[in-house]
Amino acid sequence: MESRRMAWVWFAALVISAASTEAIGVNWGTQMSHPLPPKMIVQMLKDNGIKKVKMFDAESSVMSALANTGIEVMVAIPNDQLEHMGTYSNAKAWVHENVTGYKDVNIKYVAVGNEPFLKSYNGTFLETTFPALKNIQKALDEMGYNQIKATVPMNADIYSSPEDNPVPSAGDFRSDIHDLMVNIARFLNSHGSPFVINIYPFLSLYENPSFPVDFAFFGGGGRSINDKGTQYTNVFDANFDTLVWALKKAGISNMKIIVGEIGWPTDGSKHANVADAKRFYDGSLKKLGSNAGTPLRPGPMDVYLFALIDEDMKSILPGYFERHWGIFTYDGKPKFPMDLLGKGNDKYLVGASGVEYQDAEWCVFDPNAKNQNEVPSSMNFACSNGDCTALMGSSPCSKLDRNGRISYAFNMYFQMKDQDVRTCDFDGLAKITSTNASRDGCLFPIQIVNTAGRRLAELGLPMLSWIAVLLFL
Ligand SMILES: *[C@@H]1O[C@H](CO)[C@@H](O)[C@H](O)[C@H]1NC(C)=O
Ligand SMILES: *[C@@H]1O[C@H](CO)[C@@H](O)[C@H](O)[C@H]1NC(C)=O
Ligand SMILES: *[C@@H]1O[C@H](CO)[C@@H](O)[C@H](O)[C@H]1NC(C)=O
């Protein structure tokens, strides 16, 4: 009797803990010059127990790789398609191709646009977002997918508290979009759809040099905000609860809120480094694992980390850090130890296996070459067409000497171009070497084999580069 009761208690505890902890999700972006094969990434997700992904479109190779995995997917419609979705038949065509077309993919949400009301978009998507949202939900419902919810991931810049009273309870939606946001929130709420918000303590710190550093993390000990007796010891909670207040003021008190993006970059600016990223992830994962929630929303939170892998083709307008958000490097290596369950059992996540690299060849600067006066323009060319963002941050690469920096820039371009010999010339300033050019703690990467490039190889196109070599001889 006693042991049977014990067993029941154990069973109940298991069920409760399984039901009360939301599994962590990840954002899977694909703005890379050399994306890892989607199947390899899906294997990484499985190996690390990641059961939810958020996408930025509905790329067919990615969707196919997710089929029959059970992984829960938030698929997306990019901002530049929002206007198109304003016509109902186009929305239906989208659902037909990208939902019906992937019956074996566990699609749970459709993200209609991505942060469309971002201040820096100057209102470009103000007119088109809500009609697109309504059309997509209507199409989903009519085509028999009413369990799939359409939503609009928003950046936390859609709401704020007044500067002279910076507490969550004083917060509301931005005045230029206030009524629109209230209408969207009410629409989502009435359809049982979640509000999706992206919250970036890193950006608070990046944009405001006098921001109290500790407040961006989760350890407490720094500044705290007292909101009528509620104590906020980190900016994430304060930010999240500002949204809860804004919704409350719109008459919505209990809708589901998903944190669509949370993360910390590892390069490209002062606070973008591995130590700070680890500190942020340790704190946030521990918080999530404990189901503490925020003062206004205690309990489990539904959160997607940003991001799974570095993306070397992302725009650097927001900052050089943009290409360094991954918890994995471009080639699927974990950057630092972490525990996705938030229990503090830090270890390196399981990386990609079976990655195919290009040859062990680097392109480096030849300081003895003629044409030294061409260095600035060559460097400019290499950096505009390659990726020099690691030179601009606080990582070891940023501390390279002049020659090292030039070599780094040349090599990144050469790798980006699949080691095509013609891309390691720079008016004779560069040469190819098989000696590992990495130095002073700065990794000079070798790119992975480009699947798109391989397709060209099958067509025999890279032969051209060999013809070029032969002609030069
Ligand atoms: C389905 O999604 C893909 C990828 O995002 C997009 O290119 C395509 O236009 C979508 N289909 C329709 C009919 O809108
Ligand atoms: C928004 O306006 C600013 C200032 O006028 C301009 O620099 C920027 O390019 C604009 N952005 C977009 C997306 O139109
Ligand atoms: C080059 O050296 C770096 C630093 O020692 C190392 O991490 C990297 O794996 C090496 N690259 C190759 C292709 O051997």
Side-chain angles (χ1 to χ4, degrees):
M1 188 63 193
E2 190 57 30
S3 73
R4 206 191 267 176
R5 190 155 74 202
M6 281 298 285
W8 164 245
V9 169
W10 272 104
F11 176 70
L14 275 175
V15 170
I16 288 164
S17 70
S20 62
T21 307
E22 286 273 7
I24 287 272
V26 293
N27 281 272
W28 177 355
T30 54
Q31 295 184 57
M32 299 136 175
S33 64
H34 292 67
L36 287 168
K39 284 207 159 71
M40 203 180 271
I41 293 186
V42 166
Q43 190 57 47
M44 281 168 73
L45 297 173
K46 288 184 187 164
D47 289 345
N48 292 295
I50 297 169
K51 299 188 176 68
K52 301 194 295 193
V53 290
K54 176 168 166 286
M55 317 295 312
F56 295 92
D57 52 20
E59 221 181 90
S60 63
S61 59
V62 170
M63 294 298 280
S64 306
L66 286 164
N68 299 310
T69 60
I71 293 173
E72 189 185 296
V73 179
M74 184 185 298
V75 67
I77 298 170
N79 289 339
D80 61 10
Q81 292 292 304
L82 292 175
E83 189 173 356
H84 186 67
M85 298 306 157
T87 303
Y88 184 54
S89 57
N90 293 340
K92 280 209 299 203
W94 188 92
V95 172
H96 182 73
E97 181 173 334
N98 291 316
V99 176
T100 308
Y102 301 108
K103 277 208 160 44
D104 300 328
V105 178
N106 181 15
I107 299 174
K108 180 144 186 203
Y109 301 110
V110 176
V112 180
N114 183 43
E115 304 187 336
F117 300 160
L118 205 63
K119 269 187 221 158
S120 56
Y121 291 156
N122 303 338
T124 308
F125 306 109
L126 284 188
E127 307 284 321
T128 48
T129 303
F130 196 19
L133 171 68
K134 287 191 273 199
N135 279 342
I136 291 290
Q137 188 64 62
K138 184 173 168 209
L140 287 167
D141 291 348
E142 282 189 3
M143 293 163 78
Y145 303 108
N146 55 0
Q147 80 284 5
I148 301 180
K149 302 299 178 190
T151 183
V152 184
M154 295 286 182
N155 186 281
D157 79 345
I158 58 162
Y159 52 81
S160 67
S161 299
E163 258 168 52
D164 60 359
N165 188 21
V167 296
S169 62
D172 207 342
F173 292 117
R174 222 165 69 203
S175 58
D176 62 314
I177 52 170
H178 181 273
D179 295 353
L180 178 57
M181 276 317 307
V182 167
N183 288 333
I184 289 178
R186 286 182 181 156
F187 176 86
L188 294 172
N189 190 40
S190 69
H191 284 79
S193 309
F195 198 105
V196 179
I197 192 72
N198 301 339
I199 299 179
Y200 280 108
F202 169 77
L203 293 180
S204 306
L205 195 54
Y206 178 76
E207 284 157 10
N208 177 4
S210 60
F211 189 88
V213 175
D214 290 331
F215 201 54
F217 298 92
F218 294 89
R223 177 173 124 176
S224 76
I225 292 177
N226 184 329
D227 189 3
K228 299 176 188 159
T230 303
Q231 210 66 25
Y232 287 93
T233 57
N234 66 77
V235 70
F236 174 83
D237 283 0
N239 193 305
F240 186 96
D241 280 2
T242 306
L243 171 62
V244 175
W245 274 106
L247 290 170
K248 214 182 257 193
K249 288 170 189 173
I252 302 167
S253 55
N254 57 2
M255 80 184 289
K256 181 177 170 73
I257 301 174
I258 291 177
V259 178
E261 297 182 11
I262 179 179
W264 199 280
T266 55
D267 206 348
S269 93
K270 186 176 162 212
H271 290 289
N273 55 60
V274 166
D276 281 347
K278 177 158 173 41
R279 181 180 174 196
F280 182 79
Y281 276 109
D282 280 354
S284 51
L285 291 169
K286 199 167 139 199
K287 174 190 177 63
L288 295 171
S290 75
N291 287 333
T294 69
L296 292 188
R297 288 285 185 96
M301 299 184 96
D302 197 349
V303 171
Y304 293 80
L305 306 184
F306 190 91
L308 188 60
I309 301 186
D310 284 347
E311 295 172 81
D312 65 351
M313 302 293 275
K314 283 198 83 177
S315 161
I316 51 173
L317 275 180
Y320 298 118
F321 54 81
E322 271 298 319
R323 294 177 181 167
H324 302 277
W325 286 103
I327 54 176
F328 290 93
T329 55
Y330 73 103
D331 54 347
K333 291 200 177 94
K335 291 183 183 173
F336 47 87
M338 63 200 300
D339 178 5
L340 293 177
L341 298 175
K343 305 295 180 211
N345 301 323
D346 280 6
K347 55 181 178 354
Y348 283 96
L349 297 182
V350 181
S353 82
V355 179
E356 273 185 82
Y357 290 89
Q358 307 207 10
D359 295 340
E361 278 185 353
W362 292 260
C363 178
V364 294
F365 173 51
D366 177 2
N368 300 315
K370 297 198 183 78
N371 284 332
Q372 291 293 321
N373 55 336
E374 297 294 331
V375 165
S377 63
S378 296
M379 184 91 177
N380 188 39
F381 179 84
C383 289
S384 342
N385 297 285
D387 177 19
C388 295
T389 52
L391 297 178
M392 314 304 290
S394 50
S395 72
C397 297
S398 71
K399 294 172 186 89
L400 290 172
D401 61 14
R402 177 179 179 275
N403 290 359
R405 295 168 76 83
I406 303 168
S407 285
Y408 185 89
F410 286 0
N411 184 60
M412 289 304 275
Y413 178 65
F414 176 65
Q415 301 295 337
M416 183 90 85
K417 296 295 175 189
D418 296 322
Q419 304 186 344
D420 182 332
V421 290
R422 293 167 301 180
T423 62
C424 184
D425 180 43
F426 295 104
D427 290 314
L429 290 167
K431 57 182 187 200
I432 294 173
T433 174
S434 56
T435 307
N436 193 334
S438 303
R439 50 195 268 195
D440 307 324
C442 172
L443 175 74
F444 281 55
I446 295 292
Q447 256 305 354
I448 61 179
V449 169
N450 200 335
T451 24
R454 204 153 35 171
R455 243 174 275 136
L456 289 180
E458 282 156 16
L459 296 172
L461 287 180
M463 289 302 286
L464 287 176
S465 64
W466 287 105
I467 293 168
V469 181
L470 293 174
L471 286 180
F472 280 120
L473 279 175

